[in-house]
Amino acid sequence: MKTTNLGYPRIGSNRALKKALENYWSGKATLTELEETAKNIRTENWLLQQEKGIDIIPSNDFSLYDQVLDMCMTVNAIPKRYEQLQKNNATPQDLYFAMARGIQKDGIDLTAMEMTKWFDTNYHYIVPEFYDHQTFSYANSKIVKEYKEALALGITTKPVLIGPVSFLLLGKEKESTFDRIDLLANLLPTYLKIIEELMALHVEYIQFDEPFLATDLTNKDREAIRYTYQTIADKFPDLKIVLANYFDCFGENLDTVLELPVHTLHLDLVRCSLQLDDILASKKLRKNTHLSLGVIDGRNIWKNNFEDSLALIQKAIAHVGEERLYIAPSCSLLHSPCDLDLETNEVNLSANVKQWLAFAKQKLEEVNTIRNFITKVNLTETLQKVSENSAANAERKVSKSIHNPAVKERVKGLTKTDDQRLIGFTQRKVIQQKALNLPLYPTTTIGSFPQTKEVRSQRANFKKGNTTPEAYHSFIEKETRETIEFQENIGLDVLVHGEFERNDMVEYFGEQLDGFAFTSFGWVQSYGSRCVKPPIIYGDVSREHPMTVYWSSFAQSITKKPVKGMLTGPVTILQWSFVRNDQPRAETCTQIALAIRDEVVDLEKAGLSIIQIDEPAIREGLPLRKADWKAYLDWAVKAFRIAASGVKNDTQIHTHMCYSEFNDIIAHIAAMDADVITIECSRSQMELLDVFREFKYPNDIGPGVYDIHSPRVPDRSEMVALIAKAKEYIAPEHLWINPDCGLKTRHWEETKKALIEMVAAAQECRENVAVSY
């Protein structure tokens, strides 16, 4: 029996990659220095996995930005608009980062490729763009280079590739005349060339990630899977193909998969343990097929329950024997923080909670401990670890720090009217317009303003006790005043206070809610250099005091224009945290919703007439199979409505969503009944709005008119053109003007320029339209 891993975090334990990338982008570091940092991280990762007893270690799981973007570069799937860069002999690195972030330099102005969520995670990937009759070529040897790099360390790795079918399905057609899966015939020969080069180096295993096998595939998609892996197996009969699926069961794709001529099937037994019974009982399971048993949760931070995992493994052993089994995490450890050993601050993370946790490094140890227990290796040490695991899990079940009877009773006491506004939107809009007196095309931002180094430094010093509360308060007050004045001066209609007191849109709230714990180094990658430190929801959630009222009401007190109170919604707090796994997620989400409801009511009492409850994660929380959607959407929408429905008719509720494909869930988005929804739209050139027109979405919409994830500054005409496109979908009286998302990650210079242009674009559009309310 061997151990294996699907992928390891690439940011480094202390976010070395983030710092190196941002230094490179700002011109403070050379490409050589960036590449040296990247190489050091890869080396550390490979050596650590070897030290922790992983037999089959992955390579090509590292990326400078995103693994899907890497695959685009490898197979030369470069969008047509970047031909200008290629003609100008741009370096591969310049092209790569232009595709990821856009570019505005030396007379070249190119928008970035779209980003969206990687299945139901908070990781963002770059969306490939496909064209009819598109051809591909082997254009980048990163995969081979990194295999050789590990080999030079004496480590023979398993290269990891996004499978060709999933690669196509991850993208989108830029023309309406074809189906992107039809490009497989053009794409597969390039994959074969990559494999051929790897086989020349005597590669034994190649892992093909096909996570779309966890979704509702069509017969055409399944035929593409059959064709792909039969073709690869026929051409390379000595290759041990590892077909990896994760995040759910194979489901209706199982029969197709079991017939494939692959060496190993990877199963996510954390998300779907029941599939093991179906596979072991199937007569289609080939006698020589190996199984990679993903029993360690690659997406959450809870210590494995060895008893449950061992039961699954013993069942598999009884059917296929030890020699056909691999022990593994459920998916890549990309979604886990690096190392629990770094967490020495008991103020943030108590020893009581810490004993229940395992990060990426510890998950490797769990994989090895399970294998050693079964194979009776290092038995004394192994039995001690198994005993400690059992004791920690038993203590967690009965811990008084987890359960709050008052919170549970409040959830049980909810009534049918607790998730309903007093009157419908059409009536509310009249009342709100009279109270707010906003112009046509009202302008606003999504909430946060740039978090400069000074802001972050002041907050860090305050937390460390190096700055007095009075000095810190004075600093935040100054930043807030200046931001309100700036917004007034440029003519924004609805202002925000800037959120300078906040570290992260989820962490800030979690720090003030009971039932949450925090880490000091529990970073995970969200996209590119953007890392987040998710809170840990370990117990029942409640709010003991107001969380945002002071700074929101202060901002409102210094302006006559309306200021939005800014909150994070219950589904997003849930989705962007590491969530307790000992009760249904719906129960935890409802507890959070009640806490946010209390905050909304207090903001209204403090004089805030507009309150935004952000729910950017509601789409990403969808189960991967449509049959499971309704149950999730019912409780998710209800949680939002519980949070939003405690206010009067003249209080306007906004929500924000980003990277969301709404087509299949538009009725549920409408059922949230937010007065205004703002969404990311600029990278898609307003394409996302088509569904709002077809559905006849009844409430107000603010489609983002510029991309805040790119450093480029769009000019007024570009935004006017996007507003004109938006008017094709949305009546002017229902249209708001705003950026795609919050401005926290941007610099002040570009932020000011872009917002000035945005306000001017809205004013220009107002002059051409007259609507009476």
Side-chain angles (χ1 to χ4, degrees):
M1 181 181 294
K2 292 184 178 181
T3 58
T4 188
N5 186 27
L6 280 70
Y8 202 75
R10 55 207 185 206
I11 58 173
S13 297
N14 290 301
R15 294 181 295 160
L17 180 60
K18 170 188 174 64
K19 298 164 188 173
L21 279 169
E22 292 176 357
N23 284 337
Y24 174 68
W25 292 334
S26 66
K28 296 177 183 177
T30 65
L31 178 61
T32 300
E33 290 170 320
L34 172 61
E35 291 176 338
E36 186 65 25
T37 298
K39 183 177 181 180
N40 290 340
I41 293 171
R42 291 192 295 269
T43 298
E44 290 171 8
N45 288 352
W46 287 323
L47 293 176
L48 175 65
Q49 291 173 83
Q50 184 184 59
E51 175 193 338
K52 296 303 176 183
I54 302 302
D55 297 313
I56 304 173
I57 296 170
S59 61
N60 198 47
D61 55 331
F62 179 86
S63 175
L64 283 175
Y65 201 96
D66 167 56
Q67 68 270 18
V68 184
L69 180 59
D70 291 348
M71 206 69 221
C72 289
M73 294 291 288
T74 298
V75 301
N76 203 26
I78 311 299
K80 293 178 180 178
R81 64 182 175 278
Y82 298 104
E83 289 177 356
Q84 180 183 359
L85 269 181
Q86 292 174 300
K87 289 177 182 177
N88 289 357
N89 297 316
T91 67
Q93 290 76 22
D94 287 343
L95 175 61
Y96 181 84
F97 289 124
M99 291 163 66
R101 307 173 72 236
I103 188 170
Q104 201 169 41
K105 182 180 178 182
D106 299 332
I108 296 175
D109 189 357
L110 297 171
T111 58
M113 296 171 70
E114 281 188 63
M115 284 196 299
T116 195
K117 295 297 178 73
W118 179 255
F119 298 89
D120 58 349
T121 75
N122 186 31
Y123 176 78
H124 306 63
Y125 75 90
I126 298 293
V127 180
E129 299 176 16
F130 295 123
Y131 307 87
D132 197 6
H133 304 297
Q134 184 171 351
T135 59
F136 304 90
S137 62
Y138 183 19
N140 187 295
S141 58
K142 172 183 180 294
I143 299 167
V144 173
K145 287 179 180 177
E146 291 184 10
Y147 179 81
K148 290 180 177 179
E149 193 177 298
L151 202 60
L153 296 170
I155 300 174
T156 303
T157 57
K158 168 190 61 174
V160 177
L161 285 75
I162 297 172
V165 176
S166 287
F167 177 67
L168 291 171
L169 294 177
L170 286 164
K172 67 189 311 183
E173 299 92 345
K174 300 304 289 184
E175 299 159 341
S176 60
T177 56
F178 77 108
D179 181 350
R180 60 191 181 276
I181 204 68
D182 292 334
L183 295 174
L184 181 63
N186 294 350
L187 176 64
L188 191 53
T190 299
Y191 269 76
L192 296 178
K193 289 181 181 178
I194 297 168
I195 298 168
E196 184 174 23
E197 187 167 348
L198 289 169
M199 292 298 287
L201 296 171
H202 309 291
V203 167
E204 184 177 5
Y205 299 89
I206 298 180
Q207 175 182 312
F208 295 89
D209 284 358
E210 293 282 9
F212 272 93
L213 288 168
T215 68
D216 299 317
L217 293 181
T218 65
N219 288 334
K220 184 177 181 180
D221 297 333
R222 283 191 281 268
E223 181 55 40
I225 289 284
R226 288 191 196 96
Y227 172 73
T228 294
Y229 292 98
Q230 188 63 60
T231 300
I232 294 172
D234 288 345
K235 185 169 179 62
F236 305 103
D238 295 329
L239 173 62
K240 293 179 179 177
I241 298 171
V242 179
L243 185 65
N245 174 50
Y246 34 79
F247 302 157
D248 209 329
C249 297
F250 285 104
E252 293 182 354
N253 306 317
L254 181 59
D255 284 350
T256 297
V257 168
L258 291 178
E259 294 172 350
L260 297 176
V262 300
H263 180 270
T264 302
L265 293 177
H266 175 77
L267 319 177
D268 184 339
L269 297 181
V270 174
R271 282 294 184 95
C272 186
S273 61
L274 294 178
Q275 66 178 319
L276 182 61
D277 291 330
D278 295 334
I279 291 170
L280 295 177
S282 175
K283 294 181 180 178
K284 293 186 177 181
L285 179 64
R286 292 172 173 239
K287 292 182 179 180
N288 60 346
T289 299
H290 291 58
L291 300 177
S292 170
L293 305 181
V295 293
I296 305 296
D297 193 344
R299 289 183 51 174
N300 213 331
I301 42 70
W302 303 106
K303 186 167 286 187
N304 182 260
N305 187 317
F306 284 168
E307 183 178 345
D308 292 345
S309 295
L310 288 167
L312 291 170
I313 295 166
Q314 294 291 359
K315 184 185 296 183
I317 289 173
H319 280 76
V320 303
E322 289 184 18
E323 63 278 0
R324 285 172 58 191
L325 298 179
Y326 301 88
I327 309 301
S330 60
C331 61
S332 170
L333 296 176
L334 168 71
H335 310 287
S336 294
C338 289
D339 187 3
L340 185 63
D341 291 342
L342 299 175
E343 302 299 330
T344 58
N345 184 349
E346 290 196 18
V347 175
N348 286 343
L349 186 64
S350 70
N352 184 47
V353 175
K354 183 178 177 180
Q355 68 169 326
W356 303 330
L357 309 181
F359 292 177
K361 175 182 169 183
Q362 288 70 37
K363 291 178 186 296
L364 298 177
E365 295 169 354
E366 289 182 329
V367 168
N368 197 40
T369 298
I370 288 174
R371 187 268 302 273
N372 288 349
F373 181 82
I374 293 170
T375 58
K376 298 181 173 55
V377 173
N378 299 328
L379 203 52
T380 301
E381 179 184 350
T382 300
L383 288 174
Q384 177 66 26
K385 290 181 179 179
V386 171
S387 176
E388 290 170 356
N389 175 275
S390 178
N393 280 299
E395 197 277 335
R396 181 180 170 216
K397 288 180 181 179
V398 299
S399 173
K400 292 182 179 179
S401 64
I402 289 178
H403 305 289
N404 184 333
V407 173
K408 288 179 166 60
E409 285 302 314
R410 189 179 181 193
V411 171
K412 288 180 182 178
L414 284 167
T415 67
K416 291 182 178 179
T417 60
D418 285 330
D419 66 342
Q420 303 291 324
R421 294 292 296 268
L422 297 173
I423 58 176
F425 168 75
T426 302
Q427 297 167 285
R428 294 198 308 268
K429 183 173 175 65
V430 174
I431 295 169
Q432 291 165 12
Q433 180 57 28
K434 184 176 181 180
L436 296 169
N437 193 30
L438 295 172
L440 188 68
Y441 302 133
T443 56
T444 188
T445 67
I446 304 304
S448 58
F449 268 75
Q451 293 255 329
T452 62
K453 285 185 177 179
E454 186 181 11
V455 170
R456 296 195 302 271
S457 175
Q458 288 281 350
R459 186 167 57 237
N461 285 332
F462 173 64
K463 286 191 171 185
K464 293 174 183 177
N466 298 332
T467 299
T468 66
E470 293 79 13
Y472 181 66
H473 183 280
S474 177
F475 173 78
I476 297 298
E477 181 176 307
K478 178 181 72 71
E479 293 291 316
T480 304
R481 281 187 183 277
E482 291 176 357
T483 300
I484 290 292
E485 289 173 5
F486 164 70
Q487 293 173 85
E488 285 185 318
N489 290 340
I490 68 171
L492 278 166
D493 301 305
V494 175
L495 316 185
V496 298
H497 78 283
E499 303 181 13
F500 302 107
E501 78 285 6
R502 305 185 189 184
N503 43 16
D504 174 82
M505 65 181 292
V506 173
E507 186 175 10
Y508 178 78
F509 290 94
E511 286 176 338
Q512 301 179 79
L513 294 169
D514 289 343
F516 281 76
F518 296 88
T519 64
S520 300
F521 300 96
W523 299 99
V524 293
Q525 186 180 25
S526 179
Y527 64 87
S529 68
R530 171 71 171 153
C531 299
V532 294
K533 191 152 54 71
I536 298 166
I537 305 176
Y538 70 88
D540 290 330
V541 177
S542 61
R543 187 198 79 142
E544 297 302 317
H545 54 77
M547 301 178 287
T548 67
V549 172
Y550 179 84
W551 288 113
S552 295
S553 58
F554 167 74
Q556 185 63 83
S557 73
I558 59 176
T559 180
K560 293 182 179 180
K561 288 191 172 185
V563 173
K564 282 192 292 187
M566 299 302 306
L567 303 173
T568 304
V571 179
T572 298
I573 290 177
L574 181 90
Q575 189 70 17
W576 291 359
S577 298
F578 291 120
V579 183
R580 60 190 293 188
N581 58 0
D582 62 333
Q583 73 176 14
R585 292 171 69 87
E587 175 82 6
T588 304
C589 196
T590 303
Q591 293 177 1
I592 302 170
L594 286 168
I596 298 301
R597 180 189 182 95
D598 294 342
E599 188 72 12
V600 170
V601 170
D602 281 348
L603 283 168
E604 183 184 60
K605 289 177 181 177
L608 279 295
S609 55
I610 301 178
I611 300 168
Q612 181 170 306
I613 308 172
D614 288 339
E615 283 292 19
I618 200 163
R619 175 64 175 79
E620 79 184 44
L622 275 177
L624 300 188
R625 288 200 163 82
K626 290 186 177 181
D628 302 320
W629 282 14
K630 184 179 185 304
Y632 161 76
L633 287 166
D634 285 349
W635 63 254
V637 170
K638 184 175 181 179
F640 177 86
R641 292 180 64 125
I642 289 170
S645 295
V647 295
K648 300 173 184 177
N649 295 321
D650 56 355
T651 297
Q652 190 175 76
I653 297 293
H654 290 220
T655 191
H656 172 69
M657 300 179 187
C658 47
Y659 307 116
S660 295
E661 299 284 352
F662 296 114
N663 299 53
D664 295 322
I665 63 169
I666 187 62
H668 291 88
I669 299 300
M672 292 169 68
D673 198 26
D675 297 301
V676 181
I677 178 175
T678 55
I679 58 175
E680 177 275 325
C681 264
S682 68
R683 285 199 181 194
S684 70
Q685 297 292 299
M686 298 293 166
E687 289 177 8
L688 290 174
L689 291 179
D690 192 53
V691 65
F692 287 88
R693 176 174 58 186
E694 292 177 3
F695 179 76
K696 293 182 171 58
Y697 185 79
N699 300 16
D700 287 3
I701 307 174
V705 296
Y706 82 88
D707 174 23
I708 67 89
H709 298 94
S710 171
R712 65 183 292 275
V713 177
D715 62 28
R716 182 186 317 179
S717 62
E718 183 178 325
M719 287 188 266
V720 167
L722 285 176
I723 295 169
K725 281 189 176 183
K727 282 162 48 182
E728 298 174 11
Y729 303 92
I730 304 165
E733 63 268 26
H734 290 294
L735 186 61
W736 285 63
I737 309 301
N738 46 261
D740 269 346
C741 200
L743 300 164
K744 175 181 176 180
T745 60
R746 300 271 51 92
H747 297 295
W748 266 111
E749 182 181 2
E750 64 198 53
T751 294
K752 288 180 177 180
K753 290 179 181 178
L755 289 180
I756 288 169
E757 292 296 301
M758 186 188 83
V759 171
Q763 290 170 342
E764 181 177 326
C765 292
R766 283 176 196 147
E767 295 171 0
N768 300 322
V769 180
V771 172
S772 59
Y773 286 90

